[in-house]
Amino acid sequence: MSVMDTALRESLKALRLSGMLKTLDARLAQVHGGELGHLDFLQVLCQDEITRRETVAFQRRLQKAKFEQQVTLEEFDFGASPKLPAAQIRDLATLRWLHAGESVILFGPVGVGKTHVAQALGHLAIRLGANVRFTKTSRVLAELAGGHADRTWDRRMRELVRPEVLILDDFAMRQLTAAQADDLYELVSERQGRSLIITSNWAPSDWYPLFPNPVVAESLLDRLINTSHQVIMNGPRYRPNKRPRNPTEKPPTT
């Protein structure tokens, strides 16, 4: 190793350009082999660093999302559920709704893949550079209730408002208290213009009776539903198809 090579490595370390440092030997070999000129060498090294930083940032956003599972839309087996609106879901994968600050509501019976699709759309948003957070709706309500108790409600609300995409899984599972309804109203209001992805076993029209105050229900749900893409997910249970099958087990009949 030449003195120049050593000095270059030390400079890259000092500048924290580990992406360049990691590929330096391979790139130098390309230079010595006549594959890269000086400007090409510099350009490729810069691209190596950009790629490393993008990868690190992607992994950081993925970790902060707190997905239950890291799943993608490419993995979803639409063939297992032919009744699902595949074209509509694939259209959502373009993320036009995200650019427009709109929301997505996925509703249907238990086990058809709503949570998978919600997390997969979140994964696509992360690839695009967006910050995403996944959480159960019950956990959000408990989190905000705790904020009332210890006077950290404002801080907790800001954390829920901050991500470009907030995924509320299992929405409208049970009757809400007045305090929970008010907290949801504040959350939806504060996130106006920022996307939500909601999964629910019930159609949005069935959510109204869960709110003790019809005025709050009308104001919240009108604001939410009228800015959302609604996807009816119906069909056979998706989860059993993902269960590892015993080699002696016969495949399910369709």
Side-chain angles (χ1 to χ4, degrees):
M1 185 182 299
S2 68
V3 174
M4 184 64 71
D5 286 352
T6 302
L8 177 57
R9 292 174 196 279
E10 292 302 320
S11 297
L12 294 178
K13 285 181 182 178
L15 293 171
R16 297 182 180 179
L17 298 173
S18 58
M20 290 184 174
L21 188 61
K22 186 176 180 180
T23 60
L24 181 59
D25 287 336
R27 301 311 183 195
L28 285 172
Q30 288 179 295
V31 171
H32 296 321
E35 298 176 45
L36 295 176
H38 293 93
L39 286 178
D40 294 330
F41 170 72
L42 180 58
Q43 182 179 8
V44 171
L45 267 187
C46 288
Q47 187 57 53
D48 291 338
E49 181 61 30
I50 291 171
T51 299
R52 182 197 68 84
R53 294 190 182 193
E54 288 176 345
T55 300
V56 169
F58 171 78
Q59 293 297 334
R60 187 182 299 117
R61 291 194 301 274
L62 203 58
Q63 186 176 16
K64 288 174 64 177
K66 299 181 180 178
F67 291 134
E68 286 185 336
Q69 296 175 301
Q70 292 187 23
V71 293
T72 66
L73 208 56
E74 293 88 346
E75 297 169 349
F76 192 81
D77 184 6
F78 286 99
S81 302
K83 291 184 179 180
L84 292 181
Q88 188 180 9
I89 293 172
R90 290 192 175 102
D91 183 65
L92 291 175
T94 63
L95 302 184
R96 285 192 292 267
W97 53 272
L98 174 59
H99 298 302
E102 298 165 345
S103 296
V104 176
I105 298 175
L106 309 166
F107 64 95
V110 174
V112 294
K114 299 184 298 293
T115 300
H116 182 128
V117 172
Q119 292 181 110
L121 291 174
H123 196 278
L124 285 172
I126 287 175
R127 291 188 223 173
L128 196 68
N131 289 312
V132 176
R133 179 174 174 185
F134 172 91
T135 183
K136 297 291 185 184
T137 304
S138 58
R139 197 170 300 152
V140 165
L141 294 174
E143 198 172 316
L144 292 174
H148 288 297
D150 64 8
R151 298 183 180 180
T152 61
W153 186 89
D154 287 337
R155 176 180 60 77
R156 297 185 189 209
M157 178 61 74
R158 285 195 301 271
E159 291 174 357
L160 291 168
V161 172
R162 186 175 297 118
E164 283 88 350
V165 180
L166 176 63
I167 302 174
L168 297 178
D169 196 34
D170 292 337
F171 190 83
M173 288 285 285
R174 57 182 64 87
Q175 190 81 27
L176 297 168
T177 67
Q180 289 173 332
D182 287 345
D183 282 342
L184 277 179
Y185 174 80
E186 292 296 332
L187 177 59
V188 171
S189 299
E190 290 294 322
R191 285 196 59 86
Q192 193 74 19
R194 300 175 81 80
S195 298
L196 289 164
I197 299 178
I198 290 175
T199 74
S200 179
N201 296 337
W202 304 98
S205 58
D206 297 325
W207 295 350
Y208 289 86
L210 300 177
F211 289 79
N213 186 330
V215 176
V216 173
E218 186 68 33
S219 181
L220 186 158
L221 297 179
D222 180 70
R223 183 173 300 186
L224 176 61
I225 293 170
N226 287 335
T227 59
S228 298
H229 300 265
Q230 298 179 33
V231 182
I232 303 173
M233 297 187 62
N234 204 352
R237 289 176 63 88
Y238 184 72
R239 290 183 192 130
N241 295 329
K242 295 172 69 68
R243 174 171 55 87
R245 188 177 297 129
N246 188 298
T248 61
E249 184 181 350
K250 293 182 179 180
T253 57
T254 56

